[in-house]
Amino acid sequence: GSGSCCRFYGSVGFRPVEALRARAIAADMDRRGLDEAHLFLPLRGNEAIGPEEPLAVAQVDGRCFFLEDETVCGIHRRAGVEAKPFACRTYPATFVDDGVALRVSVAAECACVFASVGADGGDPLVPSRARTRGHLDPRIGVVHVPDPVQLSATKTATRGALHTWSRAVHDRLRGFE
C-alpha cells in the first residue's frame, strides 16, 4: 500500500483483458499529458501486440501511470482490488516448490513488507484453504527447486538434503525469537 513497487519497476505488466479494463478506468483519471494510444505498449521491445501478448503500462515521471497521490492505485481506488492486474494483486509473494512443500514468502525489496511486520489485517498471500499447487490460481508462477541443487561450480546437493539443512536452520533460528 505504499506505492513503492509502482515506482520500483521499469514496467508493470498487464494481460490484454486487464489492459482493456484499465483503459476504461483511465478515462476517469488525469492523463498527465499522456495520449490514449500510448497508455499501453508491448511488454518487450517492439513486439507486435497480439490478442494474448502482455502489455506494459506507460510510466509517467518514473512510476506506473495508475499510481495516484504517490501511494494509491487509481485502479484500486475506482474499481477495487480485483480490478488490478494479477501481478499487482499477488506482489510481493514468491512461490517456491522445494520438492517437499509449496512455500510462499515475500520479496524483501518491497518496503511494505517491513512496514507491515506486526500489523493486524491485510489480505493473505494465499487462500486460507490452499494446501497444494492445485489450490492456487493457475496464473501464479511457481519457482521449482532443481534436483540436484548446484551449490557452487563443483558441488551439488540433493533437493532433500537442502530441505533438511533449511529446516534445521529454521528450527535453530526459532530459538532466537
Side-chain angles (χ1 to χ4, degrees), residues 11-173:
S11 63
V12 178
F14 283 63
R15 289 189 165 91
V17 68
E18 295 167 336
L20 184 63
R21 185 173 45 233
R23 282 183 192 278
I25 293 167
D28 294 336
M29 295 178 64
D30 172 14
R31 293 201 181 261
R32 299 187 299 267
L34 186 67
D35 166 321
E36 159 73 21
H38 296 106
L39 182 57
F40 288 96
L41 301 169
L43 187 60
R44 291 178 220 55
N46 62 355
E47 294 177 348
I49 298 177
E52 296 303 316
E53 294 300 316
L55 302 167
V57 70
Q59 299 283 305
V60 176
D61 297 327
R63 61 194 184 126
C64 174
F65 169 83
F66 290 100
L67 182 63
E68 298 179 313
D69 306 326
E70 296 300 316
T71 62
V72 178
C73 173
I75 296 172
H76 192 149
R77 175 183 279 163
R78 288 169 179 78
V81 69
E82 291 301 315
K84 291 168 68 172
F86 185 75
C88 294
R89 290 195 317 264
T90 57
Y91 185 82
T94 299
F95 297 84
V96 178
D97 179 351
D98 68 4
V100 174
L102 184 63
R103 303 182 190 283
V104 62
S105 66
V106 292
E109 73 263 13
C110 180
C112 299
V113 170
F114 297 108
S116 68
V117 171
D120 291 329
D123 295 325
L125 292 174
V126 295
S128 61
R129 293 175 288 180
R131 296 291 178 259
T132 67
R133 173 68 174 105
H135 294 128
L136 298 176
D137 186 302
R139 295 174 291 175
I140 290 177
V142 176
V143 176
H144 294 274
V145 176
D147 195 12
V149 177
Q150 192 76 39
L151 301 175
S152 71
T154 59
K155 292 192 178 227
T156 62
T158 66
R159 193 168 51 194
L162 179 64
H163 180 267
T164 300
W165 173 83
S166 176
R167 175 56 55 195
V169 169
H170 174 268
D171 292 346
R172 174 82 182 204
L173 290 174

